[in-house]
Amino acid sequence: MLACELLVFDFDGVIIDGMEEYWWSARRAALSLCPEAVLPESIPEGFRALRPWIHHGWEMVLIAALFSDSRGSLLTGGVDGAIRDYNAFCAEGLSRFGWTPTLLQERLEQVRREAVLTDRAGWLAMHRPYPGVPERLASLDDDDVSWAVLTTKGKAFTAELLASMGLTPARLDGRESGPKPDVLLSHSRDWHLRGFVEDRKATLETVRRTAGLERLPCFLASWGYLKPEDSTSLPDGVMLLSPEAFAGPLATWN
Ligand SMILES: [Mg+2]
């Protein structure tokens, strides 16, 4: 039954700018595994520069550890080298420390759980909703469309942040729900999907190549963590969404 229309939104880089928290929690997680590391409290420019390449939370912990003085500057190639072959860079980093993605993800979530328990307000304050985005989500009722959040972040942390903004999506799926294309396919059996808004171009390309999702309108959020060349040469079916267009009626987004 296609009961209602549903718009699906990524979270980090679309609804919220969590850069301050990414470094804070990744740094703490890295230090808990690597106490001898020397890591700055302020966000390294290289960490900001690498953010568009980061897909899962554990990668932030690895990258933070690789900013340690004693480990050299992000392996041998610096930020440029990391960007040139990001997957190889992550694999090399994991083997340097003998870490696994699971270990790093669990450590990151442990840091976040402790932060929520001990200083919830402080943890929430490290996240900044993008200007106008919570208000626009809240007004989607006027377009007669429901909205959902689909993120690679843990569901519980995302729920905390949405609640702090007074937002209640019709659906919330975190990394526990599996790959984004699988979740979208599942949604498509219950809803009429009106679109997917995401700031990771590679994810949108994967979605459009997924059988059953070839016709799903995909929107690249121009305000998110984009790579320098992301907004040019978009594939068919992927449209750049500006804050101005997002603020307007859904029917005019593309
Ligand atoms: Mg994102």
Side-chain angles (χ1 to χ4, degrees):
M1 180 182 69
L2 298 178
C4 290
E5 300 203 316
L6 187 73
L7 258 172
V8 185
F9 293 84
D10 174 34
F11 189 67
D12 293 277
V14 171
I15 297 175
I16 219 155
D17 175 10
M19 187 65 78
E20 187 183 342
E21 194 273 348
Y22 305 150
W23 175 250
W24 183 88
S25 57
R27 176 181 178 275
R28 286 176 82 102
L31 287 172
S32 77
L33 288 161
C34 207
E36 77 282 8
V38 179
L39 296 174
E41 293 210 14
S42 57
I43 307 170
E45 270 315 303
F47 186 80
R48 287 183 196 276
L50 283 171
R51 180 60 186 84
W53 277 263
I54 292 170
H55 188 199
H56 300 104
W58 66 263
E59 296 158 32
M60 300 194 292
V61 183
L62 177 63
I63 290 168
L66 288 169
F67 275 106
S68 163
D69 290 343
S70 62
R71 298 281 171 167
S73 177
L74 283 175
L75 305 176
T76 51
V79 170
D80 289 344
I83 285 169
R84 235 182 334 269
D85 190 345
Y86 181 73
N87 289 336
F89 161 77
C90 287
E92 193 186 343
L94 286 172
S95 90
R96 166 81 65 100
F97 291 100
W99 289 342
T100 63
T102 303
L103 170 74
L104 300 184
Q105 188 71 39
E106 285 175 355
R107 196 55 67 104
L108 176 68
E109 300 204 355
Q110 186 182 336
V111 166
R112 284 179 167 160
R113 273 195 300 272
E114 287 170 5
V116 171
L117 279 173
T118 58
D119 184 11
R120 183 174 183 274
W123 183 77
L124 291 171
M126 286 190 280
H127 301 82
R128 291 181 179 79
Y130 287 101
V133 171
E135 295 81 0
R136 182 67 187 98
L137 291 173
S139 74
L140 279 170
D141 281 351
D142 300 340
D143 293 277
D144 275 335
V145 62
S146 299
W147 61 279
V149 171
L150 173 55
T151 173
T152 53
K153 206 184 198 79
K155 180 176 179 175
F157 304 113
T158 311
E160 282 279 346
L161 288 158
L162 286 165
S164 75
M165 292 182 273
L167 293 171
T168 309
R171 285 282 320 225
L172 167 58
D173 290 274
R175 65 173 187 80
E176 305 87 348
S177 295
K180 290 185 177 181
D182 294 355
V183 177
L184 289 167
L185 271 175
S186 167
H187 285 351
S188 72
R189 290 189 272 274
D190 299 324
W191 305 76
H192 175 230
L193 296 187
R194 284 294 301 273
F196 177 40
V197 183
E198 157 77 58
D199 72 325
R200 188 169 181 270
K201 184 179 170 185
T203 299
L204 294 175
E205 289 168 342
T206 302
V207 164
R208 292 286 302 191
R209 283 197 301 268
T210 301
L213 297 176
E214 303 96 331
R215 298 168 69 84
L216 175 65
C218 285
F219 300 94
L220 182 69
S222 71
W223 58 89
Y225 307 120
L226 268 52
K227 299 175 188 173
E229 71 285 3
D230 271 355
S231 55
T232 56
S233 66
L234 291 173
D236 277 354
V238 178
M239 291 142 286
L240 189 68
L241 184 64
S242 67
E244 296 75 24
F246 177 56
L250 174 56
T252 63
W253 285 10
N254 45 0

